[in-house]
Amino acid sequence: MPHRARRYLIAIAALAAAVLFRWLLDPVIGDSLPMVTVFGAVAAAVWVGGAVPAAVVAILGYLACYYLFMTPRYAFVFDLPNMVGLAAYLFTSSLIIAIGEAMRRAQARARERSDLLRITLASIGDAVITTDNAGHVTYLNAVAESLTGWKQEDAKGQPLDTVFRVLDEQTRKPIESPATRALREGTVVSLANHTLLLGRDGGERPVDDSAAPIREEGGRMSGCVLIFRDVSERRGLEKAVAARFLEARLLASIVESSDDAIVRKSLDSVIQSWNAGAERVFGYTAEEAVGRHISIIIPPERLAEEDHIIATLKQGRRVEPFETERVRKDGRRIHVSVTISPIKDEAGNVVAASKIARDVTKQRQAEAEREMFATLIENSTDFIAIADLDAVPIFVNRAGLKLVGLDDMDAARKVHVRDFFFPEDQARILDEFFPSVAAKGHGEVDVRFRNFKTGDARWMAYKVLKLSDDKGQVLGFATVSQDITERRRLEDGLRQLAANLSEEGRRKNEFLATLAHELRNPLAALSNMLEILRRTGPRQPAPPPQAVDGMGRQLSQLVRLVDDLLDLSRITHNRLELRKGPVALGAVIDQAVESARPLVESMRHELRVVPSPEPIALEGDSARLAQVFGNLLNNSAKYTSPGGKIEVKTERHGKEAVVTVKDNGAGIPPHRLDSIFEMFNQVQGSLERSQGGLGIGLTLVRRLVQMHGGSVQAESAGEGKGSEFVVRLPIHEPRPAASPAPAPARQPSAGRRILVVDDNHDSAESLAMLLNITGNQTFTAHDGADALDAAAKQRPDVVLLDIGLPTLNGYEVCRRIREEPWGKEMVLIALTGWGQDEDRRRSHEAGFDGHLVKPVNYPALIALLDSLGVAK
Ligand code: ADP
């Protein structure tokens, strides 16, 4: 049924009930108060249905009651009293209707308000709890239900502290809810800080809460309302904001305290911010720099860089770190490493650029210095290395690696410092030297380094230094060592040389003494024999032939001594020369035997010569080979007591000729068998035992044999047990040659005209005498000028010319004679004490035909003259 109809229905029902009720009262009240019940119906109608139904009820009720209960009953009389009564009735009814309507409206309004409040409370985001004056919960909205975990029906009537339990966030102690205080103090309480709500399920959440007393219209307090909200999200937000704030502050302080220059610039290159680092690096203060163009720090020639930078930034790209040059306020150029990044707004547009510049000038310098040192070390010829505390090399320079035969640092890192030394040196270095370096900080020792590849040794001046950091912590050991192998070799050589020199000096002194001694012997004999000759005369018997023979022997002894001396000089100057040709060994031995024979016979030795069954041919210098065997035979004769036995035997062993000279004489101690071949080395080494030699014979023998490609060896069973010298020489098979053409027969020579020139008068006269005796005509001269005169005047066939002459020397005289027409064919022979090959060469160059050494060997002179075709 529609609401309105219902309202009218209820109004009519109330009217009917009022009429009925009057009718029932009628017996009691009669005609009085005919309308009395209608007022109730009007009041009910207005309350339930409002003013219009109530007015309907009032009118209908009047009409019904007037008709039914007013006298006259069942009729309508419109007289004055009735009109007044009607007016009073209408007034009263209107009043009732007006009051009723007003009340009805008030109630509707109150209901509406209450609904609004309820809906508001239910729909707001905050939680709301209301209590009565005793603090018991009277209402909970849905948010409060969800935050506290209490349902409205459970919570109602519960003490507020049971439903709304709060803790202090920090102390976690229960705290009083603001509602309690609001109730107690009747004031608004808001506590927004650090409160944790403990839910019914034990969950916790941070809340903001506040409370206010509820006052009725009269101001009486009827309870309190508690409003709170979950602030977890806000707290999170707050934390995030705080964190960002902190981060921003941190960044700002980093920027400020950074050593790097951090600069913000706009896209048109105007400086916008300038940190303390930038002030330090570039020298401008922030006030000076901000607002100015970035080109104040860019060198003019690098301005193009900035265009490139800006272009890159505008594309939103970072400019990768690069090194460049910038200029300070004071004009000084600095090296900087620069990184530039775009700064974007929230929409992602590039709005500015941040530039970080680091001053790397010092690093650059340090790098350059480091580079310099590295180059120095790498190119040093010293061995430079560093080893760590485990004695493993961590650096070895190029020279070092080469010296010890390591290919590279990888190879070096695999070895231990110990392995650089030879096993026999390791203990000395590792157990003594290194500990002393560790204690003193440095040390130096000469030691050999081992080459890992070849195993060779190099002597090193090994200098080691302890490397420590600032705090004295030992980091390792370094070495800068020099290769002193060569120096040591030179030192050893010098030492050896000094020793040799003093030994040689000693031997030379001994030699001079020996020489004097050896010269005296033949001189003494000669002087005796000369005396004998002097005493011969018409009345004196002729000198005994032994005396003359003895003179010859002594003379040849003297000559041999002088020859030995010359050979000595040739050996020491390495100027021995061979005049090689085909040699018959047998003839050489015979010649040697002949030269030794005088001594052998004077000592009454028995000499046995055992030749080889067939002749042996050699290639060599026959005179020198004869000298070799002559020396050996002479030695055997000298060092064997008179009446001894000497044997010289020639054999052929394959391609070698072996000549053995053996005696049963003094013998040689085994330890001297080698040293006797050294110069001035004589077994006894004392003058008393010297047997007429200078100690160079065997040296000469060995050298000559070696020059012939052979060897010589001494053997002896010991002192007093005889000696044996074995000479081996390579055999030279002669090529079968056509038999030599017979030499042209020399014309028998007639008497010669000979000019003898010598500043030594005795020498000149005696030779002239000798030549006269042998049928020649002689002249003499004693200086160069005289010689030239005599040659020009006498025109001799031959000039025997001494070289060392006063006024003009022999070479000069020779040259001048050769310049003369008559001198071209003259036979000029140098007669001199100088017999070296060099002297022979010079005399040949000066124009001499021959060169003889004094004292002249007469047969040799005659042979030479013959060979030159000078007729006798
Ligand atoms: P020297 O002029 O002293 O003979 P040599 O060089 O010929 O010099 O000989 C060196 C030394 O060797 C001699 O002094 C001698 O002590 C020893 N010696 C050489 N030949 C013989 C030998 N046949 N018997 C013993 N000793 C010899």
Side-chain angles (χ1 to χ4, degrees), residues 294-459:
I294 194 76
S295 59
I296 57 170
I297 57 165
I298 303 178
E301 73 275 11
R302 287 188 184 267
L303 280 173
E305 263 178 24
E306 184 63 11
D307 298 340
H308 168 72
I309 289 168
I310 295 294
T312 311
L313 289 172
K314 281 186 174 160
Q315 291 166 8
R317 287 192 292 126
R318 195 170 100 107
V319 178
E320 290 305 323
F322 66 102
E323 284 205 4
T324 182
E325 217 180 17
R326 290 291 178 256
V327 58
R328 280 173 52 87
K329 186 184 175 188
D330 58 16
R332 189 154 59 82
R333 297 284 179 109
I334 52 173
H335 288 284
V336 286
S337 162
V338 182
T339 310
I340 302 176
S341 311
I343 300 175
K344 297 179 182 173
D345 65 7
E346 282 178 6
N349 302 315
V350 180
V351 290
S354 103
K355 160 173 176 163
I356 302 179
R358 171 165 300 179
D359 185 351
V360 291
T361 312
K362 286 209 178 98
Q363 281 105 302
R364 271 291 188 82
Q365 275 167 0
E367 266 168 34
E369 274 169 24
R370 206 194 72 83
E371 195 62 30
M372 207 168 71
F373 280 119
T375 313
L376 182 73
I377 286 174
E378 266 311 307
N379 292 321
S380 167
T381 51
D382 288 352
F383 178 102
I384 302 177
I386 299 174
D388 63 15
L389 288 178
D390 297 327
V392 172
I394 51 179
F395 170 79
V396 182
N397 71 344
R398 211 170 329 163
L401 288 172
K402 191 165 163 230
L403 188 116
V404 294
L406 287 170
D407 288 333
D408 49 28
M409 269 316 297
D410 287 343
R413 280 192 204 97
K414 292 195 186 92
V415 298
H416 189 275
V417 167
R418 175 200 319 116
D419 304 325
F420 284 70
F421 308 105
F422 285 86
E424 57 271 32
D425 294 334
Q426 285 175 359
R428 175 166 72 100
I429 297 299
L430 299 183
D431 303 341
E432 294 170 25
F433 179 65
F434 282 166
S436 100
V437 171
K440 284 197 298 181
H442 59 88
E444 183 175 347
V445 67
D446 284 2
V447 66
R448 294 169 308 159
F449 275 16
R450 190 172 65 93
N451 187 299
F452 285 91
K453 280 197 185 126
T454 61
D456 288 349
R458 300 299 297 181
W459 271 102

Side-chain angles (χ1 to χ4, degrees), residues 635-636 638-639 663 666-668 676 681-684 693-699 723 725:
N635 278 351
S636 286
K638 278 194 294 186
Y639 301 109
D663 62 56
I668 302 162
I676 49 170
N681 222 317
Q682 295 173 315
V683 169
Q684 300 305 329
L694 297 174
I696 58 174
L698 286 182
T699 310
S723 313
F725 286 80

